[in-house]
Structure formats: C-alpha cells, structure tokens
Amino acid sequence: YGSMESELLPAETREFSPNNLKNLHGFDYSPCYGGNGSMSTAYFARWAGPVNESDDPYQATDVNTSPPETLPQKHAQDVFFIAGRNNSLDNDTLKNAVMQYGGITTFMWMDDSPPSYNDATASYYQSAQTGSDHAVTLVGWDDNYPSSNFINTPPGNGAFLIKNSWGIYWGQSGYFWVSYYDTA
C-alpha cells in the first residue's frame, strides 16, 4: 500500500487497509501467513482493493475479519516492476522511479540476529542474509548517509530512506535507513 498511497500524493492523502489485503488477497495463504508483491498486485489488478483503513481496521488475527461490504476506493491501472540492482551503487533506476512515481515497494531481510538495526540512528545493515522476509516502501535516499551510523559498518556511505509498516512509534516516526550495501 505504501507505493499506492505515495503515488497519490500530494493531491490525495489516503490510508488504505492492510487488514483487507491480508484477508482478501485471493490466494491459498491464511491471512497472517505472509505475502509478496505478486499477490498484492493480483489483489489490485482484479480491483478487489484498496479499501479505506477506516472501513476495515487492522486486526492481528489469522481469521478473516474483513467486512464483505467494503468497496475498492481506487483502481490500479498500471503496475511497474523494476529490475534488481547489479551492485550496491546501481541505484539510478530506483532513484528515478521514486522521483517519477513516488515510493516504491521493495522487500528486505529484517532480522536482528546478529544485531543489524541501530535504534539510535534508525539505520539497518545486514551483510550476511540474501533473502527477504519483509515488505517496505523505499521513499528516498542520501548518497552521503554516513556508514558510521550503522551497527555493522558497511563498505561505504549511502542509504535508502524506508517507510516501514510497523507504525509511527518504530524507527524515526515509522521511517529508517537501509545501507546501499545491504545484501537483501
């Protein structure tokens, strides 16, 4: 939802229902089992959502709690998939997409074993894991973000600004930095 909400800015400020997506994505996964970009794209492409957060507030349960009478508030007309980076500094395509369309959905490994998140600077760098287990929205970047802000020092400066899905009380009002050199 982060990329769709971002694309509507500044003309519209919307807050869509993650609960509706988790419950009504249309795949065989149970509601709290997880998902991926293809599942959310299918949900949008068949115009099942998005619905307003106020019409279907989040409930952390593995049971479908979404009311059946909610109506989609927008129809996705185009969804763009961006090729992965070739290396840690191959960031121009991502930067151009953010400038042209707003925030973009991406996936990362979000684990704190060994510690990878620095709460003091809201920064994350993981060099050991190459998979992904968490969806976030890339909303900006800083080519000069200091490598010294990370618990584990990456090989160079630079980081993406990420909007997390865990609410405004996590990170810096819901945002954090991920090193360009992160492996996921």
Side-chain angles (χ1 to χ4, degrees), residues 112 114-121 123-126 146-154:
D112 218 24
S116 301
Y117 180 72
N118 185 344
D119 192 50
T121 58
S123 61
Y124 184 90
Y125 170 61
Q126 169 66 260
S147 61
S148 59
N149 282 354
F150 298 93
I151 287 178
N152 305 309
T153 306

Side-chain angles (χ1 to χ4, degrees), residues 98-119:
V98 169
M99 288 189 297
Q100 186 168 355
Y101 302 109
I104 55 177
T105 300
T106 189
F107 301 88
M108 63 179 287
W109 184 263
M110 192 67 176
D111 188 11
D112 218 24
S113 304
S116 301
Y117 180 72
N118 185 344
D119 192 50

Side-chain angles (χ1 to χ4, degrees), residues 133-152:
D133 68 350
H134 186 54
V136 294
T137 307
L138 190 158
V139 298
W141 65 89
D142 180 349
D143 291 336
N144 299 310
Y145 190 84
S147 61
S148 59
N149 282 354
F150 298 93
I151 287 178
N152 305 309

Side-chain angles (χ1 to χ4, degrees), residues 19 22-23 26 31 38 46 48 56 64 66 75 79 85 100 104 108-109 116 122 128-130 146 151 157 160 171:
N19 199 63
K22 116 178 143 56
N23 291 332
S38 297
R46 73 173 184 278
D56 190 358
N64 180 350
S66 293
H75 288 157
V79 176
R85 302 181 305 158
Q100 186 168 355
I104 55 177
M108 63 179 287
W109 184 263
S116 301
Q129 185 64 37
T130 58
I151 287 178
N157 291 341
F160 294 110

